[in-house]
Amino acid sequence: MRKIYVTGYFGAPIMERAKQLAEAEGLALHDLDKEIEQREQWSVKRMVMMHGEHCYRNAELEALRALQEAGTQDAADNNGFVVACGDGILYDEDCREIILQGETVIAGEDYTEDQLWEKACESEDTYHAFMSVTAEEGSEAYAEKRERFHELIERQKKLYSVL
C-alpha cells in the first residue's frame, strides 16, 4: 500500500499538490487539518490560538496515527492514500518517523521566497501568529513580519534538505 505525505513551504500549494498526486495515482486523498478539525470539533487556527502550537502538534500526531490505522482497514484506501499535511509537521519527530515510512513530497521547492510570501499573504487559514499582524508595506511592522517569514522559510529549507 502506497502512503504519500505532502508537506512543504509555508505559502506553497500543499493541498493542490496532494490532489494532483491522488488523482494521478488513483489514491484516496486526506487533508490532515480537516481530519484534526473533525476529531477535535474546532478549527486548527482556534486550537493554536487557545492552547498553542503544542496542542495542535499533539492533535496532528493523533490524527496521523488514526489515518495509518484506518488506512490498513479502510477499503477506500486499499491501494494507498495521499495525505496533505501542514508546513511544520516534520518538526515533530514522532510525526516525521511516521511520514518517512512512506513517500514524502515537498511542495513549493520550485517557488522563490517572494512567490511563497505572496501566497502566504493571501492565505486566511494560517496559524502562524506573525502573519495575522496588520502592517502596511514599508512600515517597521511589515519589515518585521517579512523577516519572521524569511526565518521560517530558512528553517524549512534546512529541514527539507535532509530528506
Side-chain angles (χ1 to χ4, degrees), residues 58-128:
N58 288 336
E60 191 174 51
L61 176 59
E62 292 309 311
L64 197 56
R65 285 178 174 156
L67 278 174
Q68 290 288 102
E69 290 173 23
T72 59
Q73 301 164 0
D74 189 345
D77 291 344
N78 272 347
N79 296 328
F81 52 78
V82 176
V83 181
C85 305
D87 65 288
I89 194 164
L90 294 174
Y91 288 115
D92 181 274
E93 88 183 55
D94 292 327
C95 288
R96 188 171 54 248
E97 184 178 312
I98 292 169
I99 288 172
L100 293 179
Q101 291 174 13
E103 300 171 53
T104 307
V105 174
I106 306 299
E109 289 183 310
D110 55 342
Y111 280 54
T112 66
E113 186 173 318
D114 286 339
Q115 290 171 315
L116 292 169
W117 169 253
E118 286 177 29
K119 294 288 188 185
C121 287
E122 293 169 5
S123 175
E124 295 179 14
D125 279 352
T126 182
Y127 63 85
H128 293 288

Side-chain angles (χ1 to χ4, degrees), residues 12-30:
I14 295 169
M15 179 51 81
E16 289 83 356
R17 184 73 178 111
K19 284 179 184 177
Q20 289 171 345
L21 280 167
E23 287 176 13
E25 301 294 328
L27 302 174
L29 174 65
H30 297 279

